[in-house]
């Protein structure tokens, strides 16, 4: 009668580990499936292996149609370069990275995102996969742009403010010293503005300032800068002048535009404007 040998191995721990792994994977799958963030998993070269269903609702992309394509295909064209650089840096350093970028929704709307880029390292110290988790930051970006606009533009007239004007003036002075070009600065003051404010009210005064800005703007060249310095004081930067006559001719056009009366609210009236001009260099060029 033959004999046999049976070898038994307790695999309870392995089964327990596999069960725990299965539960863990299920948890992460649920998180990914129902997340409001955009989640992508790619290989080390950025080829998409997984994409969360949230892409359909947020940017209109069909997850199935993006698989096995480069993640760069779904980044706004102007941001592709910095997105690629972020992937290269993660591949080089094996550290978590981040990048801000834009995507275009299927309806044409541009949406800003901040993405965290997390490399998954294998046992050979190589990047096996990269996880991208992106969150919509459009509202934050719009707020930042608004703050930036308020820092450089006058809130009433929409013109550049004093800060932006002096920055441009500084740049023009530096450029003129190199190219030996001529430029001029024209200062404008609205005569009788205080009286308008005091007798007709600040609302009428504000309307006058806005109308004044539009009327002066119609008299300047495309590359000139009109700015509101403060109150009823305005300035015009005129770069690359051929001669002083160009500036004086512009001043005459502006003064001539005030021959037409102003209509602000229920009021109709006339005003004048004081103008001063400074040139750089302060002397006329003479041909030899």
């Amino acid at each position: 009668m033959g004999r046999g040998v049976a070898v038994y191995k307790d695999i309870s721990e392995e089964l327990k580990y596999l069960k725990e792994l299965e539960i863990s994977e299920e948890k992460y799958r649920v998180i990914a499936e129902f997340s409001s963030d955009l989640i992508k998993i790619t290989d080390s070269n950025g080829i998409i292996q997984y994409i969360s269903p949230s892409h359909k609702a947020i940017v209109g992309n069909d997850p199935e149609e993006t698989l096995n394509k480069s993640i760069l295909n779904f980044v706004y064209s102007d941001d592709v370069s910095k997105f690629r650089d972020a992937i290269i840096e993660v591949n080089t350093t094996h550290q978590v990275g981040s990048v801000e970028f834009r995507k275009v929704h299927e309806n044409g709307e541009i949406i800003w995102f901040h993405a965290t880029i997390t490399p998954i390292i294998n046992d050979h110290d190589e990047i096996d996969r990269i996880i991208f988790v992106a969150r919509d930051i459009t509202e934050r970006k719009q707020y930042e742009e608004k703050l930036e606009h308020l820092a450089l533009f006058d809130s009433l007239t929409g013109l550049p403010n004093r800060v932006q004007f002096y920055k441009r003036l500084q740049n023009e002075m530096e450029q003129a010293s190199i190219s030996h070009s001529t430029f001029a600065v024209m200062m404008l003051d609205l005569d009788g503005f205080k009286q308008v404010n005091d007798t007709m009210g600040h609302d009428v005064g504000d309307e006058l300032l806005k109308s004044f800005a539009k009327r002066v703007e119609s008299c300047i060249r495309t590359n000139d800068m009109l700015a509101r310095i403060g109150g009823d004081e305005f300035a015009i930067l005129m770069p690359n002048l051929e001669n002083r006559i160009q500036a004086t001719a512009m001043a005459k056009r502006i003064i001539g535009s005030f021959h037409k009366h102003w209509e602000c609210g229920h009021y109709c009236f006339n005003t004048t404007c004081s103008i001063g001009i400074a040139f750089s260099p302060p002397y006329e060029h003479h041909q030899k």
Side-chain angles (χ1 to χ4, degrees), residues 83-218:
F83 201 99
R84 182 188 292 112
D85 289 344
I87 295 176
I88 292 172
E89 184 175 358
V90 168
N91 271 291
T92 303
T93 64
H94 288 198
Q95 299 296 315
V96 175
S98 65
V99 63
E100 290 185 356
F101 68 101
R102 288 163 289 182
K103 291 175 71 71
V104 181
H105 192 282
E106 291 295 317
N107 62 15
E109 178 187 1
I110 294 178
I111 307 174
W112 273 98
F113 290 94
H114 176 275
T116 300
I117 309 172
T118 304
I120 304 301
I121 313 299
N122 61 24
D123 295 336
H124 304 289
D125 198 31
E126 299 170 339
I127 293 181
D128 184 50
R129 289 167 293 171
I130 301 177
I131 300 176
F132 297 81
V133 180
R135 178 160 295 179
D136 187 343
I137 59 168
T138 304
E139 278 192 23
R140 193 196 85 193
K141 278 293 184 179
Q142 290 173 343
Y143 182 67
E144 289 174 356
E145 289 172 3
K146 184 178 180 180
L147 289 180
E148 184 179 347
H149 183 86
L150 289 174
L152 297 175
F153 290 89
D154 175 52
S155 59
L156 178 65
T157 63
L159 294 175
N161 63 13
R162 180 187 307 180
V163 174
Q164 187 176 174
F165 180 81
Y166 287 140
K167 283 184 179 180
R168 171 80 183 275
L169 177 59
Q170 183 65 40
N171 290 337
E172 187 58 38
M173 291 172 65
E174 294 172 0
Q175 186 61 38
S177 67
I178 297 172
S179 62
H180 304 291
S181 59
T182 299
F183 71 90
V185 173
M186 184 182 297
M187 302 299 296
L188 302 89
D189 188 276
L190 191 57
D191 300 330
F193 178 70
K194 185 177 185 303
Q195 184 180 359
V196 171
N197 258 346
D198 291 345
T199 60
M200 303 178 193
H202 290 283
D203 289 343
V204 173
D206 287 348
E207 285 301 315
L208 176 58
L209 290 174
K210 289 190 285 187
S211 299
F212 176 86
K214 290 179 181 178
R215 198 172 290 189
V216 173
E217 216 167 14
S218 68

